[in-house]
Amino acid sequence: MTELIATHGLTKRFNGLTAVHQVDFRVNAGQTSGIIGPNGSGKTTLFNLLSGYFAPTEGAISFQGRDITRTQPHARVALGIGRTFQLVSVFTSLTVWENLVLANLRFQPGETSLGRFFFRTARRARVLADCARALEWVGLADQAGAGVDELSYGDKRMLEIGIVASLKPRLLLLDEPLAGLSDHEINRVVEMIEGIRKRVTVVIIEHKISKIVDVVERLSVMNEGRLICEGTPEEVLCNPQVRECYWGKEGEAC
Ligand SMILES: Nc1ncnc2c1ncn2[C@@H]1O[C@H](COP(=O)(O)OP(=O)(O)O)[C@@H](O)[C@H]1O
Ligand SMILES: [Mg+2]
């Protein structure tokens, strides 16, 4: 299997606190993986390091065999590393479609003016086609003209994922995509992930293991900044250290 992204001794310290400690994390192309771990165990910080929002204190990151440790976030998006953005930056007075296109434009290399963009027919056609395809993937094609403020919480989450999917990433990092959703909405997001993973390598952070064991092929467990266990979901769930970390010493053996 071809390695897509890998970290080597990756460490991030905030003042005295080590949020990510000597992490060697690897994802192969086409593999759907999950990262689980208690609150504060460093999962989001790891994504921030992978996507370039934080520079590591120590260690290195490679993507498709190339060192990207010092590569800026926008350049990582251009290489194919996509992560979801919180909807705070979405304009609630605009429609789903307008938000998608605007967000996509922000990441077009060298695109400094919206006006100029609309005169470049070829690029405009490509961006609009990418956005239309992404809306289909996340099941929002029927709601393209709806205002974002009319969307349910689950549909807003779908739009967040649609925005990053429209950038056609090779690697899609989803940070707790199921958090705060109803069971029905969770099923929709899980179905969408199952559909999209044929085209893109997906890594999902999730707090509750039960929600993603059926979706992922590999699981990694973080605890206090360290990667304490990796393997198939079955292997991980039977690991005594993981069981103790999640369920305490009385956690039943497999
Ligand atoms: N920007 C930051 N500045 C200072 N401390 C941070 C920052 N981001 C995260 N941390 C700390 O790093 C630790 C890991 O946090 P985080 O990666 O968000 O954990 P998780 O996503 O697993 O819940 C926590 O103790 C958190 O308070
Ligand atoms: Mg987090």
Side-chain angles (χ1 to χ4, degrees), residues 14 17 19 38-45 54:
F14 297 108
L17 181 121
N39 266 332
S41 54
K43 306 181 297 297
T44 296
T45 303
F54 293 151

Side-chain angles (χ1 to χ4, degrees), residues 2-251:
T2 328
E3 178 183 283
L4 186 61
I5 197 162
T7 72
H8 314 278
L10 198 66
T11 298
K12 178 66 182 176
R13 281 191 282 273
F14 297 108
N15 299 315
L17 181 121
T18 307
V20 168
H21 190 83
Q22 290 288 327
V23 165
D24 295 319
F25 176 67
R26 174 193 160 118
V27 179
N28 289 328
Q31 197 173 56
T32 307
S33 343
I35 303 176
I36 58 171
N39 266 332
S41 54
K43 306 181 297 297
T44 296
T45 303
L46 178 60
F47 269 17
N48 282 329
L49 292 166
L50 297 180
S51 52
Y53 287 90
F54 293 151
T57 315
E58 286 163 23
I61 309 170
S62 58
F63 184 69
Q64 295 186 303
R66 158 184 177 172
D67 187 295
I68 57 156
T69 313
R70 302 285 154 201
T71 305
Q72 292 302 305
H74 266 64
R76 292 192 202 194
V77 173
L79 288 174
I81 301 177
R83 67 169 294 176
T84 40
F85 293 89
Q86 298 291 311
L87 269 186
V88 284
S89 57
V90 160
F91 300 100
T92 50
S93 57
L94 299 182
T95 65
V96 166
W97 178 251
E98 289 162 342
N99 268 289
L100 182 63
V101 174
L102 274 182
N104 189 296
L105 286 182
R106 274 175 47 206
F107 288 98
Q108 294 304 314
E111 209 54 73
T112 49
S113 136
L114 208 55
R116 284 224 323 268
F117 166 78
F118 277 99
F119 287 105
R120 289 202 196 120
T121 320
R123 178 176 275 193
R124 185 180 64 206
R126 183 173 51 74
V127 166
L128 298 183
D130 290 345
C131 289
R133 204 173 303 119
L135 268 195
E136 292 281 345
W137 287 341
V138 297
L140 288 180
D142 291 348
Q143 311 219 53
V148 165
D149 50 1
E150 298 163 37
L151 294 186
S152 68
Y153 198 55
D155 283 341
K156 282 187 183 147
R157 188 64 52 79
M158 291 296 206
L159 176 57
E160 261 179 42
I161 299 171
I163 286 172
V164 61
S166 73
L167 298 165
K168 295 191 288 186
R170 291 171 212 272
L171 174 68
L172 179 58
L173 305 172
L174 301 174
D175 192 350
E176 301 209 25
L178 311 177
L181 300 185
S182 68
D183 286 349
H184 171 69
E185 289 171 330
I186 286 174
N187 291 340
R188 276 185 55 207
V189 177
V190 166
E191 265 172 38
M192 188 275 298
I193 292 170
E194 279 170 349
I196 214 169
R197 70 184 188 181
K198 295 179 200 112
R199 301 177 202 98
V200 50
T201 304
V202 182
V203 184
I204 309 163
I205 289 178
E206 179 49 52
H207 188 59
K208 296 203 182 93
I209 307 173
S210 58
K211 291 183 189 160
I212 58 156
V213 279
D214 297 333
V215 185
V216 299
E217 295 157 275
R218 286 191 66 81
L219 259 187
S220 303
V221 185
M222 289 192 74
N223 191 34
E224 297 178 354
R226 293 170 197 267
L227 212 53
I228 60 164
C229 177
E230 279 186 294
T232 63
E234 294 74 27
E235 286 164 354
V236 166
L237 294 179
C238 286
N239 178 293
Q241 210 185 343
V242 173
R243 299 186 74 78
E244 185 177 331
C245 154
Y246 261 85
W247 294 286
K249 286 198 189 305
E250 57 286 357

